[in-house]
Amino acid sequence: MNKVRVRFAPSPTGSLHIGGARTALFNWLFARHHNGTFVLRIDDTDTERSTEASYKEILAAMGWLGLDWDEGPEKGGQFGPYLQSQRLELYRREAARLLNEGKAYLCYCTVEELAERRRQAQAEGRPPMYDRRCRYLTPADRTRLEQEGRQPVIRLAVPETGTTVVKDLIRGDVAFENATIDDFIIFKSNGMPTYNFATVIDDHLMQISHIIRAEEHLSNTPKQILVYQALAYELPVFAHVPMILAPDRSKLSKRHGATSVEEYRDEGYLPEAIINYLALLGWSPEGEEEIIPLEKIIEQFSLERVSKNAAIYDTKKLTWINGHYLREGNLDRITRLALPFLQAKGLLPDPLPEKDYNYVRSVIAAVRDRVKTLAEVADAASYFFTDVTNYEEKGIRKHFTRPGAAALLDEARERLATLPEFNARAAEEAYRSLAEGKGISTGQLFHPTRLAISGRTMGPGLFEIMELLGRETVLARLDRAARWIRENLA
């Protein structure tokens, strides 16, 4: 295989969609597997919709995911610039060449005229295609139309017969009859190139060897091949990866949950979890594992193992994978990542005093086994940083309404208050001794205590919670809970 050069070319018209991230990932993996080059190019010729904010957001999302590009914005490279808006002269030069060679032509038809012809064609049962009337204008015709003040577009002169075949690494050969392809516009009347024209020129000049993109672009590919042929460019290799669909097999949209990388980041997902999950959307690893280190994904990745079938996006599976990385990740890194979520809930000051770091780290170590996102870390850890003022309703019904619940908490409090040392082991021994002495199950003592000191029925080990909170806080919360029971449930 010749030197692999691939690209990801998003338009800065919004956030980086999860589908776009999957496309970027597949290109990145292909480049890394083959020791090739991954190029980031920004296709910003849609001047009405492209924004600087979206451009910066896309770069930030790519960086957060760890999809580092070898050439592109902020990196440079020998084939720059890497923003299409800075490459307009290249497109104008090639469009002029096609006009001079008779492979493209000026079209003066107005929007209204085109709409009326489409309407008429549909009424007559004909395909609503451009009728090529400007393809054969005489110089006198063009002069007359220009004198009317019409601003022309440039159309490619598409062959009226024959077939254009897309040779696709994933889908095989896909044939398109040229008779079904319009003489499509390659330059708009506002002086901007269209997508199908600019992308071909850029891919050629940037020496892109493989174009790996989503299946929905397959319908554009015959048009691009026709541009390649008109410009006498060598064709790259095409590979169209399967679409990503929602569980109901509809197009993935906001109604199915978060759809942008930024949203998942803000909800507390880890980049390595998203990368792991996206790699499995349409690509099959060699084994049955679903938790796969990035190095192993790079080693195994090939287009031959990419499916033709649509990939179903399953947020539950992503969340499960995220939970794994939360549990197994480096604790200091997870702590650093969780801090903004704790601070956003008002649980910790910003910045966090250095003296408090070890306590926060210990709390996160305690709660991370039972949560799936960083946002859930903040919720699960809240009672370690704020007083318990409410108790779960189901816990109240099950544990606080038992006869003698308040008195039992009082007795437990006294045992804890007199311990020579206060730690998890000593507290557990005291509790087991109390339960045995009273002839009750440990659960009858453990459950109301958990509710009293955390406000919850589930969480880390009871005695781990006690040791983290410390004797003073535990005693105060037991007192408060006993008082609450007497005042509200007597």
Side-chain angles (χ1 to χ4, degrees), residues 25-46:
L25 173 62
F26 278 21
N27 278 276
W28 185 89
L29 289 171
F30 190 75
R32 295 295 173 260
H33 179 84
H34 292 286
N35 295 313
T37 301
F38 175 60
V39 178
L40 177 63
R41 186 178 74 230
I42 303 298
D43 287 3
D44 61 343
T45 54
D46 186 344

Side-chain angles (χ1 to χ4, degrees), residues 82-247:
Y82 293 90
L83 274 72
Q84 284 191 330
S85 58
Q86 298 172 8
R87 300 171 63 84
L88 297 180
E89 193 52 44
L90 297 171
Y91 312 137
R92 293 185 183 116
R93 183 189 68 199
E94 293 295 64
R97 177 160 73 88
L98 291 182
L99 286 171
N100 290 336
E101 294 174 359
K103 296 175 181 177
Y105 60 92
L106 297 174
C107 173
Y108 297 88
C109 298
T110 66
V111 172
E112 294 76 17
E113 288 169 342
L114 293 172
E116 174 56 28
R117 287 179 213 147
R118 278 195 299 272
R119 187 197 63 75
Q120 186 174 350
Q122 289 171 330
E124 295 173 1
R126 293 183 287 108
M129 295 173 59
Y130 178 60
D131 59 10
R132 295 185 166 98
R133 67 178 59 197
C134 287
R135 185 165 173 169
Y136 306 106
L137 292 177
T138 65
D141 290 331
R142 285 196 289 274
T143 299
R144 175 178 54 79
L145 292 167
E146 286 170 5
Q147 287 175 346
E148 292 178 10
R150 298 193 182 209
Q151 296 295 316
V153 300
I154 302 176
R155 291 182 182 271
L156 188 73
V158 173
E160 298 184 53
T161 59
T163 303
T164 297
V165 178
V166 179
K167 296 183 179 299
D168 192 278
L169 279 183
I170 296 171
R171 304 185 176 280
D173 289 357
V174 185
F176 296 82
E177 295 298 322
N178 291 337
T180 66
I181 302 175
D182 263 316
D183 281 6
F184 55 92
I185 296 170
I186 60 173
F187 242 91
K188 295 178 275 190
S189 59
N190 64 359
M192 298 298 286
T194 58
Y195 164 74
N196 284 321
F197 187 63
T199 196
V200 167
I201 294 168
D202 289 338
D203 288 338
H204 171 73
L205 294 180
M206 293 180 181
Q207 298 183 10
I208 301 302
S209 63
H210 295 72
I211 295 178
I212 305 168
R213 58 190 178 192
E215 179 187 3
E216 51 260 43
H217 285 287
L218 182 59
S219 61
N220 286 321
T221 308
K223 295 180 180 179
Q224 291 171 17
I225 288 175
L226 290 168
V227 174
Y228 274 101
Q229 292 171 344
L231 291 167
Y233 291 165
E234 183 180 352
L235 285 175
V237 177
F238 292 98
H240 290 87
V241 300
M243 291 181 65
I244 298 176
L245 299 179

Side-chain angles (χ1 to χ4, degrees), residues 408 428 431-436 439-449 462-463:
L408 190 58
E428 183 173 2
Y431 262 55
R432 292 190 182 280
S433 174
L434 176 59
E436 184 179 354
I440 61 175
S441 69
T442 54
Q444 286 178 260
L445 183 57
F446 290 7
H447 295 317
T449 297
L462 172 60
F463 304 105

